[in-house]
Amino acid sequence: MRVWVAWFLVEFLVVGVSALRALGHLRLLQVERYRNARFLAYLRANPRALLWVPPRGRKGSLAMTGRAWRILCVYLALVFLAGLALAPSAALGVVSGLVAACLSPLGLALANLLLGPVQMAMNAVYAADARARVVRSGARVVAVTGSYGKTTTKEALASVLATRFRVFRPRGSVNTPMGLAREVREKVSPGLEYLVVEMGAFGEGEIRQLARMVPPHVAVLTRIGPAHLERFGSLEAVARAKYELVEAVPDGGYAVFNADDPVLERLARVTARVRAVLYGLEERPGLLCTARDVSVGPGGTTFTLVSPGGERKVATRLLGLHNVSNLLAAACVGIEEGLSLEEVVQGLARVEPVPHRLELKASGGVVVLDDSYNSNPEGAREALRVLGLLPARRRILVTPGMVELGEKQFQENAALGEEASRVCDLVVVVGLPNREALLEGLGRGGGERKARIFETLIQASSFLKEELRPGDAVLFENDLPEHLEVARGGPGTGRR
């Protein structure tokens, strides 16, 4: 009897330790959208992460959703059973339990696999309920996709349409099937006039799945670029995936394309079943909306909105040419939906900067450009351009570079380093994945002496606390994704 009591107490302790240890790995699995293949590939490339991963990252904590709880409970049951298999031998039971605890990533992957059929059935129920709620609401759905600019464009669309209509849009960057299903099921109700959503994807077929759940009346495509190119494999695959949204628009509807993007301009020309509406930063025939006299300054951006209905001056707190492009997309939809130019301009002026997307802040006399949410080649160039426009004693860039760009990663990060050498007085390189490329680019521009290299953001932050002085301007460009921030390297480092 005493042996069993001792075994039970020790096993209880093992299960508790296993639970605490598994939380960080569960966060990584969640970041990878519960894809075992991606999760395990990361662990193979970064064996150090097998030892410990914090349950909270710089971009937030593990979200203990129903799915996360189910995976954790099944994993802990597996740990308990591993100990039970050798009971009542306390020593062997504890050893087997500890081995299971040390292999928590594999145990979580196994639990995720075992729950797969159950989760698929639940997802189907949630998606069907979300679709039914959208249909019952009677809302006209405007959906946004693209490699970059989805969230800001969604916010601009909602702001413009809200000048006359009742509008709902999920806050933040909710763009996955279950994220959208939850938002719709909890917050969409009859009487809503417009539902504005963004749709993201890591592969072909995912936007088609989202569009079945939230059927779009209007599609907006912002840009096609190398974001997540490592996952898609090619730009052609990215374009096909994003175009799935246009294919989901019913006959007689319309799709809005960014004509400054050559891939989207080509797709617009071959779009026949629905009407193609184009916008762009440069005035030329065939565009519904364009911009003239763009001026970017520390307080925001001004430009003249040019459309067939006339011209209007727009003042926005958003920074950068790429954000003017996002606003033009929203203006096109506003005009197509019957709003006056005055209403469109009013809505554009109300758009607030999305947190961590070229957000201007000030702290202790230091101007901070926070562009840390993610990064892409076009956005990074524009962020550096804005940094160069700020009046400052010194201009400082802090960056780990850009990730998940596939074969273009080294090239694009080297280009970022070269541009930074011309704009910045100091470049703080964080982490290993893109260090070589950034330093090579800095060298090309003659700025190798401007570099300061740190393994972690914590080390870089300590340096900045001592280095920054009033009058400095600092740009935080990108933050390593959650699944790379614990590693010295990782998949898609872009080495030649």
Side-chain angles (χ1 to χ4, degrees), residues 30-318:
Q30 191 174 74
V31 166
E32 290 293 354
R33 300 187 183 184
Y34 300 103
R35 290 173 168 84
N36 275 352
R38 290 285 306 179
F39 176 62
L40 295 174
Y42 166 74
L43 293 172
R44 283 196 300 271
N46 301 278
R48 191 176 72 166
L50 287 166
L51 300 176
W52 169 252
V53 177
R56 178 176 177 81
R58 293 191 295 273
K59 293 181 181 177
S61 303
L62 165 68
M64 287 307 299
T65 61
R67 184 173 188 177
W69 275 114
R70 288 189 292 275
I71 292 173
L72 180 61
C73 289
V74 170
Y75 161 67
L76 295 179
L78 293 173
V79 173
F80 181 81
L81 290 173
L84 185 62
L86 296 174
S89 173
L92 290 176
V94 170
V95 169
S96 62
L98 289 174
V99 169
C102 291
L103 297 177
S104 64
L106 300 180
L108 289 170
L110 177 59
N112 189 33
L113 180 64
L114 293 173
L115 286 168
V118 175
Q119 190 62 48
M120 288 180 63
M122 294 178 67
N123 288 355
V125 171
Y126 294 153
D129 183 48
R131 180 185 174 92
R133 288 175 182 269
V134 171
V135 173
R136 284 200 303 270
S137 74
R140 188 165 167 82
V141 177
V142 180
V144 185
T145 194
S147 299
Y148 327 123
K150 294 185 292 294
T151 302
T152 300
T153 302
K154 178 196 67 181
E155 293 297 316
L157 284 162
S159 181
V160 167
L161 293 169
T163 59
R164 184 186 298 183
F165 304 108
R166 185 183 171 203
V167 179
F168 171 73
R169 93 289 188 206
R171 295 186 180 275
S173 300
V174 177
N175 58 26
T176 63
M178 289 303 98
L180 275 180
R182 183 177 62 250
E183 288 286 311
V184 169
R185 295 173 68 234
E186 293 178 356
K187 299 171 184 176
V188 171
S189 57
L192 185 68
E193 294 177 281
Y194 281 87
L195 172 61
V196 183
V197 299
E198 62 176 282
M199 296 185 177
F202 282 157
E204 294 183 66
E206 295 185 13
I207 290 177
R208 187 177 297 114
Q209 177 188 357
L210 285 164
R212 282 196 295 266
M213 183 176 69
V214 185
H217 299 89
V218 179
V220 180
L221 278 69
T222 57
R223 293 169 186 83
I224 300 296
H228 306 306
L229 186 61
E230 175 200 343
R231 300 173 188 252
F232 280 98
S234 68
L235 283 176
E236 291 75 17
V238 175
R240 288 194 300 268
K242 304 305 181 183
Y243 196 74
E244 290 170 5
L245 183 59
V246 179
E247 294 171 337
V249 174
D251 293 347
Y254 67 95
V256 179
F257 295 87
N258 181 359
D260 293 331
D261 186 306
V263 176
L264 290 180
E265 186 179 35
R266 176 178 58 79
L267 289 174
R269 287 199 303 268
V270 300
T271 297
R273 187 180 56 81
V274 299
R275 186 163 48 88
V277 176
L278 288 87
Y279 66 92
L281 291 170
E282 297 181 7
E283 293 184 64
R284 55 190 185 276
L287 304 187
L288 179 62
C289 290
T290 188
R292 182 188 298 161
D293 304 324
V294 180
S295 177
V296 181
T301 304
T302 61
F303 65 95
T304 299
L305 172 64
V306 180
S307 73
E311 301 180 6
R312 297 292 188 279
K313 196 76 171 179
V314 177
T316 174
R317 290 183 57 202
L318 303 186

Side-chain angles (χ1 to χ4, degrees), residues 304-372:
T304 299
L305 172 64
V306 180
S307 73
E311 301 180 6
R312 297 292 188 279
K313 196 76 171 179
V314 177
T316 174
R317 290 183 57 202
L318 303 186
L319 295 167
L321 281 172
H322 61 307
N323 276 324
V324 174
S325 182
N326 296 332
L327 295 181
L328 290 177
C332 284
V333 174
I335 292 170
E336 287 288 334
E337 295 302 304
L339 297 182
S340 68
L341 277 182
E342 286 70 23
E343 289 172 314
V344 169
V345 170
Q346 181 184 357
L348 296 179
R350 291 177 177 173
V351 180
E352 294 290 325
V354 178
H356 313 301
R357 274 95 160 178
L358 209 56
E359 183 183 14
L360 187 66
K361 306 174 182 178
S363 176
V366 176
V367 175
V368 176
L369 275 173
D370 182 357
D371 202 30
S372 62

Side-chain angles (χ1 to χ4, degrees), residues 27-28 31-32 38 42 46 53 57-60 202 228 230-231 372-375 400-405 409 430 433-434 477-487 489-492:
R27 179 170 67 88
L28 290 185
V31 166
E32 290 293 354
R38 290 285 306 179
Y42 166 74
N46 301 278
V53 177
R58 293 191 295 273
K59 293 181 181 177
F202 282 157
H228 306 306
E230 175 200 343
R231 300 173 188 252
S372 62
Y373 184 81
N374 55 26
S375 187
M402 298 169 284
V403 297
E404 294 192 350
L405 300 182
Q409 186 157 317
V430 183
N434 297 305
E477 182 59 32
N478 202 19
D479 186 9
L480 281 175
E482 299 277 9
H483 62 293
L484 291 181
E485 66 180 16
V486 297

